[in-house]
Structures are given as C-alpha cells and as structure tokens.
C-alpha cells in the first residue's frame, strides 16, 4: 500500500529513537528529532516524532489533536501542523497519562487549546507516580498541563462534518486509556493499547493488564473494517489485519505463561522456556526484549493466580 511505503524511512528512525532509555527518559536531544506528517485522509494525519504517535484532524472548525509527545517538541509539532492547517488547535485528547503522550499539554494549554482526557488521566497527572517496571518516578504535572475536561465512558465531537468518537477502555495499557475513532474518515487512534510490530509495554503499576489490552484491541476490531487506517500508540501505521495478528500473539503468549504459572514455575524458569519464541522475529525487536515482555506478563498474570 502506498501510505506504508511512504513512511518506512521515518519508521526506521522512529524505532531507533524509541528505546527504553529514550521513551521513559526526558533526557533526550530533542534538537535532532524531526516531526513527519503522513496524510491518511483529506482531513486526518499522523505525526511521527519522539514519543507516542500523534493524530491530527484539521478542518474549517479548527484542529483536533490526539496526544502531544514531549514539551520540547511543541514548537516543531506546531510547525508541522501549520503546514497542514492555519487554524487554531482547539482540542487535545490525551489517550493516557504517560509523559511521552502528554508532555506538550502545558504548552498547548497556554496557547488556548482545551485538554481533554479520561478522569483517571487527570488523577494520575495530579499526583506523583511511579512506573515500577522502569523504576521511574514521575512527578505531578503542573496545573496548566492537567486536562480541564474529563469523562468516564465516552464523548462525541462533531467538527466540520467529522464525527469523532472518544471512548474509554478499562485497565488496558493503564487505567485511563482512550480510543479515538474518526468515524467519517475511517481512521482510529488506539493509544498505547497497540504497539504495532512491537511487544507492548503494559503499565501494571497504573492498573494496566494484558487481559484489558486484549479486550480493548478486540473492541477496536469489532468496530473497524478492512479499510480502516489504524494509528497505534507506537510503531508504524497499521490496519485491521495487523491488529488481529497482534491480538492473536497476545492471546497465545498469555496462555503459555498462564499455564506455567499454574504449574508453579518461577519467572526465570518460564523465561528459559522462551514462550515468545515463535513471535520474536516479528515483535521482538522494539522497545522490550522478549524476556522483558515475559516479565511484565508474569507479574500481571501472577496477581490473577493468587
């Protein structure tokens, strides 16, 4: 497909940038980061940079943004959007609270954008957090970065003929995940419930779970079609078939690990059996190594076996 060929050079750079040390550290050289736009429809675009993928809707009624990466990139992001539209960034939806997705909130809020997220996003951003897997302390965000409108289930936007459905999925990547579906344009932004071509990070310290990720992805599969363009939280532009393969991979690995946990095996013993081996060539060259992914699932699934 043409749109996939166009983004291959950007994706290679992006995956190299998106490592454990960069995605969960703000000590990056942001001067070197480039923001590249991929057109998905007449009004919807995907921006690649450093951090979570950004969704952009641009029409006469203004710009609607999904996530905003890191604060030092706001100027570059705004410049990239300026090449798409000269309208104001009216709304910003945060798909969850991680700082590689909400880092630009304060800057955009100061520019007059309305920040919107699930209520748990505001709760977590309002207080100090700790991402256990990465041993990463995340201080509370300043007041200006907090979402000023929150929701519990879903909400609809009607902008310039586009119907945009934003809905919450429970305890998936975190406890505050939101999916953004541009229904008219047939484009969906999944946030971090979907890492395209990568083993996903699941933040169990923020009440995320592999069962929640699977349920959320299956929910997305139930409402999209073969022509839907799927913007993942991380990785290259995707589609329904690839998302289905992702779900199948998660279900298979989960079953293998669950069975061994039930048999009393330790994490180290399970890792030695290489439960991800058949999927490593496709999924194991990204943010997480296979052993790290097994570690995350082991912790999550062990809690359900207690």
């Amino acid at each position: 497909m043409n749109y996939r060929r166009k983004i291959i050079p950007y994706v290679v750079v992006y995956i190299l940038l998106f490592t454990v040390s960069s995605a969960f550290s703000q000590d990056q050289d942001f001067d070197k980061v480039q923001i590249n736009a991929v057109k998905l429809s007449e009004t919807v675009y995907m921006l690649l940079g450093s951090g979570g993928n950004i969704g952009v809707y641009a029409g006469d009624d203004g710009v609607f943004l999904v996530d905003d990466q890191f604060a030092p990139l706001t100027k570059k992001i705004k410049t990239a959007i300026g090449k798409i539209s000269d309208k104001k960034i009216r709304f910003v939806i945060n798909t969850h609270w991680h700082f590689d997705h909400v880092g630009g909130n304060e800057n955009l809020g100061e520019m007059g954008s309305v920040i919107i997220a699930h209520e748990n996003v505001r709760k977590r951003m309002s207080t100090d957090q700790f991402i256990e897997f990465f041993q990463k302390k995340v201080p509370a965000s300043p007041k200006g970065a907090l979402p000023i409108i929150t929701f519990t289930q879903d909400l609809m936007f009607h902008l310039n003929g586009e119907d945009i459905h934003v809905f919450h999925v429970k305890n998936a990547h975190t406890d505050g995940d939101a999916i953004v579906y541009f229904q008219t344009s047939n484009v969906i932004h999944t946030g971090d419930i979907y890492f395209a071509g990568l083993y996903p990070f699941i933040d169990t310290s923020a009440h995320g779970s592999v069962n929640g990720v699977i349920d959320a992805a299956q929910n997305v599969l139930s409402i999209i079609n073969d022509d839907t363009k799927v913007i993942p939280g991380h990785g290259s532009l995707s589609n329904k078939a690839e998302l289905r393969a992702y779900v199948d991979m998660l279900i298979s690995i989960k079953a293998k690990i669950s069975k061994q946990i039930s048999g009393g095996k330790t994490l180290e013993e399970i890792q030695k059996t290489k439960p991800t081996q058949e999927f490593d060539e496709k999924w194991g060259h990204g943010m997480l190594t296979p052993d790290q992914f097994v570690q995350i699932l082991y912790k999550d699934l062990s809690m359900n076996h207690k």
Side-chain angles (χ1 to χ4, degrees), residues 49-94:
S50 179
N53 293 329
I54 295 174
V56 180
Y57 164 77
D60 292 339
D61 295 332
V63 173
F64 178 102
L65 206 62
V66 184
D67 289 338
D68 48 43
Q69 297 190 356
F70 296 98
L73 295 176
T74 301
K75 184 177 180 180
K76 291 183 178 182
I77 291 168
K78 195 169 185 297
T79 297
I81 293 172
K83 295 177 182 178
I84 297 170
S85 171
D86 60 0
K87 302 297 184 180
K88 174 184 175 181
I89 302 174
R90 292 184 62 188
F91 302 105
V92 178
I93 295 288
N94 295 149

Side-chain angles (χ1 to χ4, degrees), residues 23-26 97-100 102 123-132 134-142 203 205:
F24 285 86
S25 170
Q26 298 182 57
W97 70 273
H98 288 157
F99 49 79
D100 60 319
V102 305
K123 289 176 183 177
R124 290 197 177 276
M125 290 180 67
S126 300
T127 58
D128 293 346
Q129 298 293 312
F130 183 69
I131 303 177
E132 183 179 353
F134 294 106
Q135 295 295 295
K136 175 71 177 178
K137 294 181 180 179
V138 183
S141 299
D203 190 355
S205 57

Side-chain angles (χ1 to χ4, degrees), residues 174-205:
T174 68
D175 60 5
D177 298 306
I179 308 294
V180 183
Y181 188 19
F182 299 91
Q183 295 177 328
T184 309
S185 296
N186 199 18
V187 176
I188 197 162
H189 193 307
T190 67
D192 277 8
I193 72 152
Y194 182 29
F195 284 56
L198 314 167
Y199 286 135
F201 169 59
I202 300 171
D203 190 355
T204 56
S205 57

Side-chain angles (χ1 to χ4, degrees), residues 49 53 67 73 93 119 153 160 185 198 219 227 252 258 261 272 302:
N53 293 329
D67 289 338
L73 295 176
I93 295 288
E119 62 181 6
Q153 296 298 326
N160 194 42
S185 296
L198 314 167
N219 188 355
D227 296 323
S252 177
S258 293
I261 291 173
K272 288 179 181 178
S302 292

Side-chain angles (χ1 to χ4, degrees), residues 198-243:
L198 314 167
Y199 286 135
F201 169 59
I202 300 171
D203 190 355
T204 56
S205 57
H207 298 163
S209 70
V210 65
N211 285 329
V213 169
I214 291 170
D215 288 346
Q218 288 178 327
N219 188 355
V220 171
L221 286 169
S222 73
I223 63 174
I224 65 176
N225 58 45
D226 291 341
D227 296 323
T228 305
K229 294 181 174 67
V230 179
I231 303 174
H234 297 278
S236 59
L237 187 65
S238 192
N239 55 46
K240 185 174 184 177
E242 291 174 349
L243 179 59

